[in-house]
Amino acid sequence: MDNYKKFKAMLVEEDDGNFNIKIDEKTINDLPSGDVLIRVKYSSLNYKDALSATGNKGVTRKYPHTPGIDAAGVVEESSVNDFIIGDEVIVTGFDLGMNTSGGFGEYIRVPKEWIVKLPKGLSLKESMIFGTAGFTAALALEKLEGNGLKKSEGEVLVTGATGGVGSLAVTILSKAGYNVAAATGKIDKENFLKSIGAKKILKREDADNSSSKALLKTKWDAVIDTVGGNILATSIKSTKYNGSVATCGLTQSPILNSTVYPFILRGVNLLGIDSAHCEMDLRFKIWNKLSAEWKPDNLNLIYQECSLEELKSKVDLILNGKITGRIVVIH
Ligand SMILES: NC(=O)c1ccc[n+]([C@@H]2O[C@H](COP(=O)([O-])OP(=O)(O)OC[C@H]3O[C@@H](n4cnc5c(N)ncnc54)[C@H](OP(=O)(O)O)[C@@H]3O)[C@@H](O)[C@H]2O)c1
């Protein structure tokens, strides 16, 4: 590979505390060292990418920077035996797009430990319709089942249901045979949520109880929460005996105000979900399930395509909770 070969990438630059997004040319030489050079064919937009693209130093310390925590593409150069030229691969999480040049560029170079071979049953594009969001939703379901969730007449609640993690949680749970209740602030998206498998729709306020009671009437076998804050607290207070709540996100708030009563009187489990550093064995298991028994039939309903040039306009939308489903970036 010619190290001076140019490629297109999003570049976020810092200028006196302001952050500007532009599409620019980089060279292979600009990429960090690593075992495998990948020609990125698809990426996707996640909430964390929008934080990186707008200067959140908790996500990205140094600028100029190319965000993109997800990438799917083809190996172009490899210094290790595990991967050969032409392999189709997925990279999600680890440091990709945080302080390592990410999937919003046509090339990435990463350590072999970050790479998963594309499982049979998934295309590169489908892997990015899932991306970190779908991987996180599936990891949450895996942990819920590992903690006793079983199919029943009961319901599993998904909060932030029209978002990336939320919409994929709805459709994966439905594919896996669960009755899904979807809580959303976008009540006009009821038909969308039903089309992807939700049996019941709740207004966001109905999942956000402001009473000071330590326990509420039990409703849910389990919860996949993508928003945190009082909605997470309400979920914990409303989960049935021995049920579990998987906490994935913080779009409402990172603060959790809860007593211990749901845990010590109802045996409720609070399960932390971290997709970024998920160990490889579990990572393979989750991607394999997403390519087979948990692969929804209606993935095409969940995403919009977008070019690198169009991506900038989506950043503010996702930060303001305005995106429905997933944005897949085509390179
Ligand atoms: N733990 C992990 O490994 C992991 C992985 C991926 C993402 N995350 C986190 O999960 C969260 C969701 O990520 P995402 O990529 O799915 O983002 P997203 O597409 O923007 O979805 C977030 C959804 O949350 C709801 N929402 C937005 N603002 C809200 C508010 N103020 N109060 C209540 N609900 C609100 C909206 O859904 P409705 O309009 O339908 O209510 C929105 O679509 C983020 O905090 C992200 O950082 C964590």
Side-chain angles (χ1 to χ4, degrees):
M1 167 66 68
D2 169 10
N3 277 337
Y4 293 97
K5 181 185 161 90
K6 290 186 173 154
F7 66 89
K8 210 164 50 163
M10 174 185 280
L11 207 64
V12 183
E13 294 177 319
E14 183 171 9
D15 177 19
D16 217 10
N18 294 316
F19 293 85
N20 304 311
I21 301 173
K22 65 177 185 184
I23 306 304
D24 211 347
E25 279 189 335
K26 289 172 97 167
T27 65
I28 300 295
N29 247 347
D30 295 328
L31 294 173
S33 57
D35 304 312
V36 182
L37 179 72
I38 299 164
R39 169 67 171 92
V40 180
K41 301 282 187 183
Y42 301 94
S43 180
S44 76
L45 178 67
N46 294 278
Y47 189 78
K48 208 188 224 177
D49 298 317
L51 295 177
S52 172
T54 51
N56 184 308
K57 296 273 170 120
V59 177
T60 300
R61 288 186 304 276
K62 280 196 190 150
Y63 296 84
H65 172 64
T66 297
I69 63 171
D70 290 343
V74 179
V75 171
E76 282 215 3
E77 226 174 57
S78 170
S79 59
V80 291
N81 293 331
D82 313 58
F83 298 99
I84 56 168
I85 293 171
D87 278 349
E88 292 189 308
V89 293
I90 311 169
V91 184
T92 63
F94 296 102
D95 192 50
L96 188 71
M98 294 182 68
N99 291 290
T100 300
S101 189
F104 296 167
E106 291 171 327
Y107 281 88
I108 57 170
R109 188 157 46 201
V110 294
K112 66 179 175 16
E113 291 81 9
W114 297 4
I115 307 173
V116 171
K117 280 197 185 143
L118 185 73
K120 282 200 183 77
L122 268 193
S123 67
L124 286 173
K125 185 172 172 187
E126 286 169 336
S127 77
M128 288 293 102
I129 301 174
F130 288 123
T132 286
F135 182 83
T136 303
L139 186 58
L141 176 54
E142 179 73 14
K143 282 213 173 182
L144 290 174
E145 290 190 337
N147 282 274
L149 177 64
K150 291 199 169 52
K151 274 149 252 181
S152 75
E153 296 300 302
E155 292 170 318
V156 179
L157 174 68
V158 176
T159 65
T162 69
V165 180
S167 57
L168 282 160
V170 168
T171 191
I172 292 166
L173 280 163
S174 165
K175 173 74 185 182
Y178 293 93
N179 298 318
V180 184
T184 182
K186 303 185 194 81
I187 211 62
D188 59 317
K189 296 292 174 189
E190 180 167 347
N191 287 342
F192 164 73
L193 287 167
K194 287 197 168 148
S195 73
I196 63 169
K199 288 249 168 76
K200 182 193 280 178
I201 315 296
L202 277 78
K203 289 189 194 136
R204 186 183 289 167
E205 307 86 87
D206 296 336
D208 195 354
N209 189 301
S210 57
S211 98
S212 57
K213 286 184 179 166
L215 295 169
L216 296 168
K217 185 167 177 272
T218 56
K219 291 183 178 168
W220 317 118
D221 284 3
V223 181
I224 296 183
D225 173 63
T226 74
V227 304
N230 194 56
I231 292 184
L232 173 57
T234 305
S235 299
I236 294 168
K237 291 180 193 179
S238 315
T239 295
K240 290 181 188 169
Y241 195 83
N242 271 346
S244 301
V245 178
T247 169
C248 304
L250 43 66
T251 49
Q252 184 181 65
S253 165
I255 308 293
L256 172 59
N257 188 1
S258 171
T259 69
V260 299
Y261 290 116
F263 310 113
I264 66 171
L265 296 180
R266 289 183 178 160
V268 168
N269 305 303
L270 183 58
L271 308 176
I273 305 302
D274 170 40
S275 60
H277 296 96
C278 173
E279 62 273 28
M280 258 305 159
D281 286 353
L282 183 53
R283 211 172 261 267
F284 289 140
K285 187 175 177 190
I286 298 294
W287 278 114
N288 280 323
K289 285 191 170 182
L290 286 173
S291 69
E293 68 266 34
W294 286 357
K295 183 177 175 185
D297 309 318
N298 48 16
L299 269 186
N300 61 320
L301 299 178
I302 279 185
Y303 77 101
Q304 307 160 45
E305 291 181 3
C306 158
S307 67
L308 210 46
E309 286 77 10
E310 290 162 337
L311 190 53
K312 182 177 171 184
S313 67
K314 311 287 182 195
V315 167
D316 280 344
L317 290 178
I318 199 167
L319 284 178
N320 290 307
K322 295 261 163 38
I323 301 269
T324 295
R326 298 272 295 147
I327 305 286
V328 173
V329 184
I330 317 276
H331 286 300

